Amino acid sequence: MPHIETRDGTKLYVKDWGEGRPVVLLHGWPLTADSWDDGAVALAEAGYRAIAYDRRGFGRSDQPWNGYDYDTLTDDLADVLAATGAQDAAVIGFSMGGGEVARYMSRHGGKGVVKAGLISSVVPYMPKTSDNPDGTPQEVFDGMTEGMKKDRAHFFAGFFKDFFGVSMLDHAVSQEVLNWAWFQTMHAGLRPTLACAAAFSSTDFRPDLSAFKVPTLIVHGTADKTVPIEAAGRAAAKGIDQSLLIEYDGAPHGLFETHKQRLIDDLLVFLR
C-alpha cells in the first residue's frame, strides 16, 4: 500500500514496515518520511510496526494548493490511521509533526492512540509574544520566507547547518547528511513549503495540551536553534499530564541524526 487517499482526494505516500503494535512516525519540515528511516528500521527489528508517510506537499505525496493548516493535516493523520488499520498506536511527531500529534489529540480525541511522542517539537507555541516571551521573533520567520522565495535551494543549504548544529568547529553530521536532507527538501513544492512554515510558526497549540490523555515522551535538545527548548519542550512538559521530558544536553534540532542511537534507545524504552 504505497499510497492512501485522504478525505479530500489527496494521495499520501506511506511506508509500512514490520509487524506488531503500530508506531506512526510524523516527519518534520521540510523533510520526508525518509528522515525517520533509521528509527523505523530499529522499531521494526524490535517487533513493532513502523508507519511513516510523506506529509501532503512533500516527498512522494501529492502537492495540492490547499490543506496546509493543522486541522487538515491532522485529518490526514486520521485518514492514515484508518487506512492502515493502526489501532492502539503510538504516534510520534518530530518538529512540525509534533503539532499534528497535539491537534489530533484535541480534534480527533486521540482516537486509537495509546502513547504519544514530541521530538524537537514546535508544540506548544513558537512566536514571541507578550504571553510567550521565550518564543521566536516574527522577523526570523519573515526572513525565512524571504530567503525561500528569493533562492530556496541556497536558503536550505544554510538552514540545515543550524538544523544539525554544524559549524566551523563542530561537524555534528557529515556533508553527505546535509546533502541528503537538502535532497529531500527539494522534492517538496514551494507552495507547501511556504504554507507549512506559516502554519507551524503561527499555530497556537496551548489549548490542545489538555487533550493529551496518554503517556507522552518529550525529547528536546538544549542547543536547538530552530525550535528553542524554553518555548517548546519545557513549555510542553509543563502543560501535558503524564509527560516525561528528556533533555539532550548540547543537542541541536536534528537530533534524529546527531543523537541517533540515544533517541532510538529512548523511544524503545518508552514504547515498552
Side-chain angles (χ1 to χ4, degrees), residues 227-238:
V227 184
I229 190 171
E230 285 295 343
R234 290 172 184 165
K238 291 177 182 177

Side-chain angles (χ1 to χ4, degrees), residues 126-129 132 134-141 225-228 231:
M126 284 200 69
K128 183 175 183 177
T129 59
N132 193 44
D134 295 315
T136 302
Q138 184 59 44
E139 52 264 32
V140 173
F141 301 125
K225 294 181 180 179
T226 307
V227 184

Side-chain angles (χ1 to χ4, degrees), residues 142-164:
D142 293 342
M144 290 172 59
T145 299
E146 181 181 353
M148 286 183 282
K149 286 184 174 181
K150 181 179 179 180
D151 186 341
R152 181 166 52 129
H154 176 73
F155 169 80
F156 279 115
F159 172 83
F160 280 116
K161 291 180 180 179
D162 280 344
F163 188 98
F164 290 114

Side-chain angles (χ1 to χ4, degrees), residues 176-216:
E176 288 74 18
V177 166
L178 294 175
N179 296 345
W180 173 63
W182 183 91
F183 180 79
Q184 290 181 59
T185 298
M186 290 298 102
H187 277 76
L190 177 58
R191 160 66 177 175
T193 302
L194 292 170
C196 281
F200 73 68
S201 65
S202 64
T203 303
D204 189 349
F205 298 103
R206 289 175 295 186
D208 300 289
L209 298 185
S210 62
F212 281 80
K213 305 296 184 184
V214 298
T216 302

Side-chain angles (χ1 to χ4, degrees), residues 87-118:
Q87 293 296 317
D88 297 327
V91 179
I92 313 292
F94 171 78
S95 192
M96 180 180 182
E100 284 153 303
V101 177
R103 186 54 51 85
Y104 183 81
M105 291 299 176
S106 61
R107 184 171 172 84
H108 293 275
K111 181 180 178 181
V113 175
V114 297
K115 289 188 176 183
L118 304 174

